Amino acid sequence: MTDDESSYEIEISLVVNGASVKRRVSARQHLADFLREDLSLTGTHLGCEHGVCGACTVRVDGRVVRGCLMLAAQADGSTVETIEGLSDSGALAELQSAFLERNAAQCGFCTAGMLLTASEFLAGGRRASRQEIRDVLSGNMCRCTGYQAIVDAVEAVMIKRLDR
Ligand code: FES
Ligand code: FES
């Protein structure tokens, strides 16, 4: 890549947590870096930056994506939701309470990604075994909890919703 190509900028317009945003970004900037550095939305974390750990998970047009694998330029015209917006709207309140009750968040580094991945699964409205819940969450790594408490929390919300 030449110097000219690496400094190429593009103007993007998108909606982030309900607010319209227009910015000039480097063509090489990842969505997670854009959210953290340009918009100060630091609840989206960066771990591996290679699509492995899930710490950078955000929602784009309603689907969870890896913020470290998507360019900010690719989000042009999209609706992006981060942990900040979803927490403020109460969209994750039930799941967050379940995490709190079961101590499923320790250092919290993985928690935003876990919550977003779990909420997408729960929105499907199906009953799953604990092993299936583990599989759903397998793209989100946690260094602290051993996953048991996280699976407990997700399972509890799933059962509560199905029993309503
Ligand atoms: S920082 Fe994106 S998957 Fe690890
Ligand atoms: S709570 Fe620390 S990485 Fe998951």
Side-chain angles (χ1 to χ4, degrees):
M1 184 177 285
T2 66
D3 284 350
D4 276 356
E5 285 170 330
S6 66
S7 61
Y8 183 73
E9 289 193 348
I10 183 171
E11 184 163 289
I12 60 171
S13 300
L14 62 165
V15 174
V16 181
N17 295 333
S20 295
V21 172
K22 191 178 275 196
R23 288 282 195 291
R24 286 193 75 75
V25 297
S26 160
R28 300 171 60 187
Q29 187 177 33
H30 289 113
L31 178 59
D33 286 329
F34 171 69
L35 294 169
R36 290 176 56 82
E37 293 168 13
D38 292 44
L39 304 185
S40 300
L41 294 169
T42 53
T44 300
H45 291 153
L46 280 165
C48 65
E49 301 189 52
H50 289 289
V52 177
C53 74
C56 61
T57 303
V58 293
R59 248 189 231 169
V60 177
D61 293 333
R63 297 189 58 193
V64 295
V65 303
R66 303 279 204 232
C68 73
L69 293 185
M70 183 170 182
L71 296 171
Q74 290 176 296
D76 184 33
S78 297
T79 296
V80 176
E81 295 165 286
T82 71
I83 188 65
E84 289 90 347
L86 291 165
S87 294
D88 288 350
S89 72
L92 300 176
E94 193 176 22
L95 203 45
Q96 286 170 313
S97 295
F99 268 54
L100 200 60
E101 282 162 20
R102 288 159 184 80
N103 200 24
Q106 291 183 24
C107 81
F109 193 82
C110 70
T111 308
M114 286 287 184
L115 289 168
L116 265 71
T117 300
S119 73
E120 184 175 67
F121 158 69
L122 291 167
R126 71 181 183 89
R127 188 177 294 275
S129 66
R130 288 182 66 84
Q131 185 55 49
E132 286 173 312
I133 294 171
R134 282 184 179 276
D135 290 346
V136 165
L137 298 175
S138 63
N140 292 77
M141 295 185 181
C142 177
R143 298 167 296 188
C144 308
T145 63
Y147 301 97
Q148 193 77 9
I150 294 172
V151 175
D152 287 348
V154 175
E155 183 182 41
V157 174
M158 176 190 75
I159 290 169
K160 200 168 153 189
R161 289 188 184 179
L162 289 170
D163 288 350
R164 267 182 202 146

